[in-house]
Amino acid sequence: MTEAPKTNLVGLTKSAIEAYFVGLGAKAFHGRNVLKWIHKHGVIDFDAMTDVPQKLRDQLKQQAEIVVPKIALVQPARDGTTKWVLELADGQHIETVHIPEDNRDTICVSSQVGCALDCSFCSTAQQGFNRNLTTDEIIGQVWLATRELGRIPTNVVMMGMGEPLANIDNVVPAMDLMQEDLAYMISKARVTLSTSGIVPALNRLRDLSDVSLAVSLHAPDNELRDQLVPINRKYPLEQLIPACKNFISSDKRRKITWEYVMLDGVNDSISHAKALIRLLQGVPSKVNLIPFNPFPGSDYRTSPEERVEAFRQRLKRAGIIATTRKTRGEDIDAACGQLVGKVRDRSRRQFKRIPVVQEHVQ
Ligand code: SAH
């Protein structure tokens, strides 16, 4: 007889772990205590959980496990950013990035191994899609970062590898755990899901979670967006924009963050800015301009700094809050769109790389 697979407790939300413990014939509060041990105290050894009765611990050891991702490689960048390449139980690799700033620090979390969406300017796309991450693999990245840093990060962005809304069933419980009082206690305003715009999943998300929303817009019209973000052919702007408005409609103070990668000569002219202003009329918005981060094999170039600034000023004049994202972790391929999830020998590539110097405007 083969043994039933053990349940990994790392991915269970409060209600799920309570139900699991009740299913074992134990009290729900023991489940809550174990959740606290795992996420608040970082304890993954059942025997160290001193308030769990010995008999229950023995039962847990038989039927459950606490498995977190392993660090395959740590890469510190010159600017303080750190990239962790993590190895999952099946040998796959994903990347998690820590970005410290003056008054906050952000963890950039992956939701899939690879990505199926094929955005033309993103290096994860080149790797293709491999599989969805499980809830424990998603929250496991926050668990690991918290242990490595010795503190809970202030912000989490679902902006690593993959499309979170293509894995909504595993992403939502992980984001619940990020916000859970017994776990990381990060407020909903500081947990951000970034999507390229899978409209039906976005409509579902509205009923499941009220985290902050960032949308990878990158173009002000369908013709251009079809090329840059091919999922636009399925869910064009006339569907995406109302779905985004609807997502934040429950609270007047909420805004959508529109991500807009600045590609030299492609989407960065003043007429693009004007079209963007028209598109976002009546939508509570913030625009985050992202200087394109080059990677080997990409044909795009980064927009010159003056053009990014002119674009930003044009949006500002129209009353739209617009910021330019600082590129971080560039020297370790940890910047937006550079995550590829492979452990490989970079020594040769590093030699060949032409350093790109970017000055950034905040
Ligand atoms: N799938 C999600 C999360 C992706 S990564 C999404 O599409 O939103 C987070 C952001 O980085 C997205 O806005 C993405 O479009 C952007 N990005 C991808 N490649 C990039 C690159 N090479 N340079 C700058 N930004 C990039």
Side-chain angles (χ1 to χ4, degrees):
M1 208 181 78
T2 50
E3 270 179 56
K6 291 184 171 179
T7 302
N8 187 1
L9 302 184
V10 173
L12 300 187
T13 59
K14 184 170 85 177
S15 56
I17 205 164
E18 284 173 349
Y20 179 78
F21 273 66
V22 170
L24 290 179
K27 291 273 193 294
F29 79 85
H30 286 310
R32 291 195 292 275
N33 284 346
V34 169
L35 187 148
K36 265 195 343 209
W37 277 115
I38 297 172
H39 294 288
K40 255 205 190 340
H41 307 301
V43 168
I44 55 172
D45 172 8
F46 288 119
D47 278 327
M49 301 180 180
T50 44
D51 57 4
V52 179
Q54 186 62 52
K55 248 184 83 183
L56 181 55
R57 278 189 234 163
D58 292 339
Q59 196 182 0
L60 286 169
K61 278 187 255 174
Q62 300 238 315
Q63 301 184 26
E65 59 185 4
I66 301 172
V67 180
V68 288
K70 282 197 206 59
I71 298 179
L73 189 70
V74 186
Q75 282 187 293
R78 284 190 291 267
D79 63 11
T81 301
T82 303
K83 179 167 84 176
W84 294 290
V85 179
L86 305 183
E87 183 163 325
L88 308 174
D90 62 353
Q92 301 276 2
H93 292 109
I94 53 162
E95 300 183 354
T96 307
V97 179
H98 174 240
I99 309 145
E101 285 167 276
D102 290 344
N103 50 359
R104 61 177 186 179
D105 61 333
T106 303
I107 297 289
C108 182
V109 167
S110 295
S111 58
Q112 300 180 311
V113 184
C115 189
L117 294 187
D118 209 22
C119 296
S120 59
F121 51 87
C122 178
S123 74
T124 304
Q126 296 193 331
Q127 159 184 8
F129 175 66
N130 200 304
R131 69 169 174 86
N132 280 334
L133 296 185
T134 55
T135 301
D136 52 88
E137 289 167 338
I138 300 166
I139 197 65
Q141 298 170 62
V142 179
W143 186 94
L144 207 73
T146 301
R147 262 72 258 173
E148 289 299 302
L149 298 169
R151 62 174 190 280
I152 297 171
T154 60
N155 293 60
V156 178
V157 293
M158 297 298 306
M159 291 186 189
M161 297 162 65
E163 166 51 50
L165 286 187
N167 185 18
I168 184 171
D169 291 336
N170 295 332
V171 164
V172 166
M175 294 193 308
D176 287 347
L177 277 166
M178 293 169 201
Q179 298 168 77
E180 169 59 55
D181 284 353
L182 302 177
Y184 301 93
M185 276 181 84
I186 304 174
S187 79
K188 62 186 181 186
R190 290 172 174 270
V191 175
T192 301
L193 181 142
S194 176
T195 180
S196 55
I198 302 183
V199 169
L202 182 57
N203 291 336
R204 260 188 77 204
L205 184 70
R206 188 178 192 274
D207 299 327
L208 300 174
S209 183
D210 56 0
V211 292
S212 302
L213 181 68
V215 178
S216 297
L217 193 59
H218 306 319
D221 60 72
N222 282 325
E223 200 188 337
L224 184 54
R225 195 163 191 269
D226 280 352
Q227 292 170 34
L228 302 178
V229 186
I231 193 74
N232 192 68
R233 297 173 202 160
K234 205 163 173 189
Y235 306 116
L237 293 171
E238 54 277 18
Q239 291 182 30
L240 177 61
I241 304 285
C244 293
K245 265 176 99 167
N246 191 37
F247 184 80
I248 56 161
S249 63
S250 62
D251 184 344
K252 282 200 177 62
R253 288 162 304 182
R254 293 175 86 191
K255 286 188 173 56
I256 296 156
T257 300
W258 304 99
E259 295 162 281
Y260 196 102
V261 63
M262 295 297 279
L263 304 167
D264 185 16
V266 175
N267 65 352
D268 61 350
S269 71
I270 288 298
S271 60
H272 290 114
K274 287 182 185 163
L276 185 59
I277 292 162
R278 281 195 298 277
L279 182 72
L280 298 183
Q281 212 152 41
V283 187
S285 298
K286 277 190 280 198
V287 173
N288 195 204
L289 302 175
I290 315 175
F292 170 64
N293 290 305
F295 53 90
S298 75
D299 294 332
Y300 294 111
R301 288 180 313 261
T302 312
S303 302
E305 200 191 317
E306 316 79 68
R307 199 159 333 126
V308 177
E309 184 54 15
F311 197 99
R312 191 177 78 84
Q313 290 298 345
R314 189 69 195 77
L315 297 180
K316 259 185 76 181
R317 269 210 326 226
I320 298 177
I321 305 164
T323 51
T324 301
R325 187 179 293 176
K326 263 198 189 137
T327 287
R328 301 289 304 265
E330 213 182 354
D331 54 320
I332 53 163
D333 289 352
C336 304
Q338 293 188 330
L339 306 186
V340 290
K342 284 189 193 130
V343 191
R344 56 186 175 193
D345 176 16
R346 285 158 193 271
S347 48
R348 267 184 56 217
R349 264 190 48 207
Q350 226 124 48
F351 257 74
K352 281 202 263 172
R353 260 187 103 186
I354 303 153
V356 182
V357 180
Q358 291 178 1
E359 294 285 308
H360 299 287
V361 203
Q362 191 59 297

